[in-house]
Amino acid sequence: MSKEEISNLGNENRRFPPSAAFAAQANAKPSLYDEADADHTAFWAKQAESLVWEKKWDQVLEWNLPFAQWFIGGKINASYNCIDRHVLEGRGDRVAFHFEGEPGDTRTLTYKDMLREVSKAANALTSLGVKAGDRIAIYMPHIPEAVISMLACARIGAAHSVIFGGFSADSLLQRIQDADATIVITADGGFRKGAAFALKPVVDEALKGETHVRKVLVVQRTKQETAWNAERDIWWHDLVDSQSDQHTAQAFDAEHVLFILYTSGTTAKPKGIFHTTGGYLTQTAFTHKMVFDLKPETDVYWCTADVGWITGHSYMVYGPMINGATQVMYEGTPDTPEKDRIFKLVEKYKVTILYTAPTLIRTWMKWGDEFPNGCDLSSLRLLGSVGEPINPEAWMWYREVIGQNNCPIVDTWWQTETGSIMVSPLPGITSTKPGSAMRPLPGVDATVIDDDGNIVGNGHSGYLTLNKPWPSMMRGVWGEPERYKETYWSRFEGKYFAGDGAKWDEDGALWLLGRVDDVMNVSGHRISTAEVESALVSHEAIAEAAVVGANDAMTGQAIVAFVILRGGIDHANQESGEALTKDLKAHVAKEIGAIARPRQIMVVNELPKTRSGKIMRRLLRDVAENRAVGDSTTLADPNVMKLISEGLSSAKQED
Ligand code: WT7
């Protein structure tokens, strides 16, 4: 979104009330808001009752700010709630996943099939000596075994740490070390953009570092040649297929750790956000049912996120499976073999609920209406958006072209840390506005405040904060309790600060305005400026680096880096300059992963710094977005920006 578009957010008069027909059948009733307002903890306790507990809790909430415990004394198993329950209650033959591989291969897995596969995988992990409390790293393509592995871990009380398959060996190693994982579950590779890519070599590379990994369990997906360490590596089919398909899920404490998921913060070291069981399951299941209006007997639900992100955890695995949903899972990219692949799958599986990200919606807009128009999308009845602010133009296109003016849109704001959706319209109740996430869900207490912590009125922007604990809130940063307090609870007393700017408009609708900290959002993925800077300065040619997220029409933000070279490095002529920036981009991709590859790298002689040495990214963002540079009077050397601008206009800029 452009600066102008962002400052225009909230000046929106179009409103789309729910149709009477939708409202009449909706799961969510307006009374939900009143119930939650009347008694916050009783409201959440009521939602927790829809799960199966082996032992009910003694106390709903213990709140020692900022540490919450929910459903204390309760005992529950996540995998049981996702699978066994449905089979025992007669829903075993319902399809859990319609899986479609990128090459077109398919698998149908019913809830009964999932119970068999997850039981075998749980027995396999136990045979490897995995115990409750252990950490298991999962580094997989987007195939059913990723979900099976997660649920097998949950079944035996081991915490999973899923690392998105696009991350580099270094990133993988860092995460394996931080969580001290003992087993890695991976695959030979997967299919993407019409070809097989390899994953196992990345694991091999990562495990050259120091870890306590004992075994690597490898799913055979592509059948490509795979290097093998006979002492450490085991094929999934050799170990799992021969296991018993009987396994009794063991109930764990409500506050037992369910998983760790790493996310980027404002420093170079990613944070291991961890979630526990009872509260997380309660809120993911509740929000999934209400926000997406799931009718499990008839809906076909498709969340296009990868399981490697929180969206995949909460709205592909735990929320939907607890609710007994039938889902589509697709391995590959949206333009393979053609740009209509997603729409073809909507038509094929008669998808009724589609949950995706603004970056993909904008990509579809660019590709052209002929792709969705060529497919039958009439099965769709609800659309969702997540990951970044959705610009009103993309929202309208989503509504008109994909939803054929017939589907409510839910723009859902939340974070890895919140575990579940926190701000969203409720379909059937809320009149939506293009681009607004509208209002906090029942049971969520959100305010927008200014620098001094005062609540701002309608029409003004400020910082989005959360005031009461919620069941699926993160329980901490793995191994760093101080960092949890400091990062999320120290800026405004007694409040959780999410890192986002927000605004209530004149009608009281809530607009998310993007991050206000040094975190970028590229295609809905969170990347820290510090992480990319640290990757850049690890290159031998770089003395110093400053990274900003510049507005990008397609990816929301794009990474733009300003670098100072070490003495003696030649980049003066065009050829060596181009070779260097190419090399630097490749270096960042190797250090972090392809998602962190800068769009643009500019070589400069100075960086704009305040007298205390802090880089003024705001000014660099002006340069990156081709704007006149803003107020630079607080710079230690006010001439720096002039020098940077002049230097760049005389040098060739690399794109
Ligand atoms: C950050 C969280 C939550 C799953 C995907 C990303 C941004 C997320 C929205 C939205 C505006 C959004 C925020 C947030 N964000 N959803 N609907 N409107 N911004 O999870 O990687 O933890 O990132 O994504 O900036 O803080 P994440």
Side-chain angles (χ1 to χ4, degrees):
M1 244 183 283
S2 71
K3 263 264 174 333
E4 198 185 329
E5 265 186 296
I6 289 177
S7 64
N8 270 333
L9 286 180
N11 298 333
E12 175 65 65
N13 294 319
R14 286 170 293 189
R15 270 221 180 225
F16 297 93
S19 71
F22 198 102
Q25 60 82 62
N27 291 345
K29 304 290 174 220
S31 57
L32 278 177
Y33 293 103
D34 307 325
E35 281 174 46
D37 287 347
D39 191 336
H40 182 248
T41 42
F43 172 79
W44 284 118
K46 183 175 167 195
Q47 311 317 328
E49 271 162 24
S50 45
L51 301 174
V52 179
W53 295 80
E54 190 184 89
K55 176 179 172 293
K56 203 181 161 173
W57 56 90
D58 308 312
Q59 188 186 341
V60 180
L61 170 67
E62 167 98 29
W63 180 222
N64 293 316
L65 196 142
F67 296 100
Q69 292 181 73
W70 285 87
F71 311 116
I72 299 166
K75 292 217 180 296
I76 188 165
N77 185 284
S79 180
Y80 181 96
N81 273 274
C82 289
I83 315 174
D84 305 47
R85 175 185 190 171
H86 301 302
V87 176
L88 291 169
E89 292 174 10
R91 298 183 288 276
D93 291 329
R94 183 183 297 166
V95 174
F97 288 101
H98 292 290
F99 169 74
E100 179 110 359
E102 199 190 71
D105 55 315
T106 61
R107 276 164 80 184
T108 309
L109 289 149
T110 62
Y111 276 90
K112 213 184 266 169
D113 295 333
M114 288 301 284
L115 180 58
R116 190 185 61 239
E117 297 307 316
V118 171
S119 294
K120 285 203 259 180
N123 284 325
L125 291 176
T126 303
S127 79
L128 295 178
V130 177
K131 302 218 162 32
D134 290 357
R135 275 83 55 208
I136 310 294
I138 299 177
Y139 184 67
M140 292 277 247
H142 204 51
I143 58 173
E145 280 78 5
V147 180
I148 292 166
S149 300
M150 291 163 77
L151 292 171
C153 289
R155 216 169 166 81
I156 59 174
H160 53 73
S161 165
V162 183
I163 296 116
F164 173 62
F167 277 116
S168 67
D170 282 350
S171 298
L172 177 61
L173 172 62
Q174 189 181 31
R175 287 158 173 77
I176 289 172
Q177 287 173 330
D178 189 80
D180 198 15
T182 50
I183 306 280
V184 179
I185 308 178
T186 188
D188 51 356
F191 294 101
R192 222 185 108 79
K193 293 193 188 209
F197 65 92
L199 277 181
K200 172 70 165 42
V202 187
V203 175
D204 292 341
E205 180 65 29
L207 294 183
K208 286 182 186 159
E210 214 168 294
T211 72
H212 293 119
V213 171
R214 292 183 282 111
K215 294 286 172 195
V216 177
L217 193 52
V218 190
V219 174
Q220 192 173 39
R221 167 68 182 136
T222 63
K223 302 206 162 79
Q224 62 196 292
E225 280 267 326
T226 300
W228 209 250
N229 172 341
E231 267 157 45
R232 189 197 65 192
D233 304 340
I234 316 169
W235 285 112
W236 175 284
H237 52 262
D238 284 343
L239 182 72
V240 179
D241 287 2
S242 58
Q243 299 291 323
S244 156
D245 59 9
Q246 301 296 311
H247 183 274
T248 308
Q250 192 189 331
F252 296 96
D253 210 81
E255 284 294 340
H256 188 79
V257 176
L258 182 60
F259 66 86
I260 308 172
L261 190 59
Y262 286 84
T263 189
S264 296
T266 51
T267 65
K269 185 172 183 275
K271 293 188 290 267
I273 307 297
F274 70 90
H275 285 278
T276 58
T277 311
Y280 175 80
L281 299 181
T282 297
Q283 200 172 341
T284 52
F286 168 74
T287 51
H288 180 260
K289 186 169 166 194
M290 295 304 171
V291 172
F292 299 105
D293 192 51
L294 183 81
K295 306 286 191 288
E297 301 79 16
T298 46
D299 275 319
V300 178
Y301 164 87
W302 185 9
C303 164
T304 66
D306 190 281
V307 283
W309 309 107
I310 192 69
T311 309
H313 282 54
S314 301
Y315 296 106
M316 228 191 102
V317 181
Y318 293 106
M321 291 193 72
I322 288 172
N323 292 332
T326 294
Q327 306 190 60
V328 172
M329 177 180 198
Y330 169 57
E331 177 186 33
T333 48
D335 52 350
T336 307
E338 296 298 336
K339 296 186 172 71
D340 60 1
R341 185 67 186 270
I342 304 282
F343 312 123
K344 279 252 161 73
L345 292 174
V346 168
E347 176 180 286
K348 175 173 174 186
Y349 293 107
K350 301 196 168 40
V351 173
T352 58
I353 304 170
L354 183 68
Y355 189 30
T356 192
T359 186
L360 184 57
I361 298 169
R362 289 191 298 264
T363 304
W364 286 333
M365 284 173 78
K366 186 182 77 178
W367 286 344
D369 294 9
E370 63 269 30
F371 297 104
N373 288 347
C375 297
D376 179 4
L377 305 181
S378 61
S379 55
L380 289 170
R381 67 177 196 94
L382 186 138
L383 302 172
S385 172
V386 62
E388 53 175 314
I390 178 166
N391 44 317
E393 195 194 352
W395 194 101
M396 285 304 297
W397 184 88
Y398 198 26
R399 180 184 156 83
E400 287 164 3
V401 180
I402 305 300
Q404 300 173 3
N405 289 312
N406 204 22
C407 301
I409 296 183
V410 289
D411 174 11
T412 62
W413 176 89
W414 58 295
Q415 309 178 293
T416 306
E417 291 88 338
T418 67
S420 341
I421 298 171
M422 303 296 278
V423 180
S424 168
L426 280 178
I429 300 180
T430 318
S431 285
T432 51
K433 287 182 165 197
S436 170
M438 300 308 298
R439 72 182 281 195
L441 287 179
V444 173
D445 184 350
T447 43
V448 180
I449 60 179
D450 65 16
D451 277 305
D452 301 323
N454 302 313
I455 291 184
V456 305
N458 286 3
H460 299 279
S461 51
Y463 305 103
L464 183 67
T465 52
L466 302 169
N467 308 307
K468 279 189 191 148
W470 61 99
S472 67
M473 66 194 278
M474 68 188 288
R475 297 300 194 264
V477 179
W478 189 257
E480 301 176 280
E482 280 310 310
R483 203 171 167 199
Y484 167 65
K485 282 198 216 167
E486 213 178 275
T487 311
Y488 302 100
W489 297 89
S490 67
R491 175 113 179 236
F492 301 105
E493 210 193 318
K495 289 170 187 290
Y496 171 91
F497 172 48
D500 286 82
K503 163 179 176 174
W504 301 105
D505 71 12
E506 297 295 349
D507 296 332
L510 188 59
W511 295 76
L512 276 306
L513 305 176
R515 303 288 301 199
V516 296
D517 52 12
D518 294 332
V519 173
M520 299 174 286
N521 189 326
V522 181
S523 299
H525 299 312
R526 211 203 282 195
I527 300 167
S528 100
T529 52
E531 218 174 327
V532 181
E533 285 164 4
S534 129
L536 283 166
V537 297
S538 74
H539 188 281
E540 59 196 9
I542 302 302
E544 211 180 329
V547 164
V548 297
N551 291 319
D552 185 280
M554 228 24 80
T555 58
Q557 286 189 318
I559 302 174
V560 177
F562 295 81
V563 296
I564 301 177
L565 302 185
R566 281 176 194 249
I569 304 285
D570 173 31
H571 76 293
N573 67 58
Q574 190 175 322
E575 213 170 293
S576 58
E578 267 173 31
L580 176 65
T581 45
K582 205 169 152 210
D583 190 40
L584 287 171
K585 288 181 188 179
H587 178 72
V588 175
K590 184 188 157 289
E591 290 285 307
I592 305 173
I595 50 169
R597 182 192 298 270
R599 180 187 74 185
Q600 200 176 2
I601 295 182
M602 309 198 200
V603 178
V604 295
N605 294 318
E606 297 281 350
L607 288 170
K609 289 188 185 155
T610 61
R611 267 162 284 236
S612 61
K614 196 172 167 347
I615 292 172
M616 288 192 72
R617 281 173 224 281
R618 174 172 62 77
L619 301 176
L620 291 175
R621 223 172 286 129
D622 289 339
V623 174
E625 293 170 358
N626 298 315
R627 258 195 316 277
V629 173
D631 180 9
S632 55
T633 48
T634 53
L635 286 180
D637 175 359
N639 277 323
V640 164
M641 286 318 297
K642 196 164 156 257
L643 292 173
I644 289 178
S645 304
E646 282 171 6
L648 288 173
S649 54
S650 62
K652 186 191 173 297
Q653 287 190 26
E654 220 275 340
D655 238 301

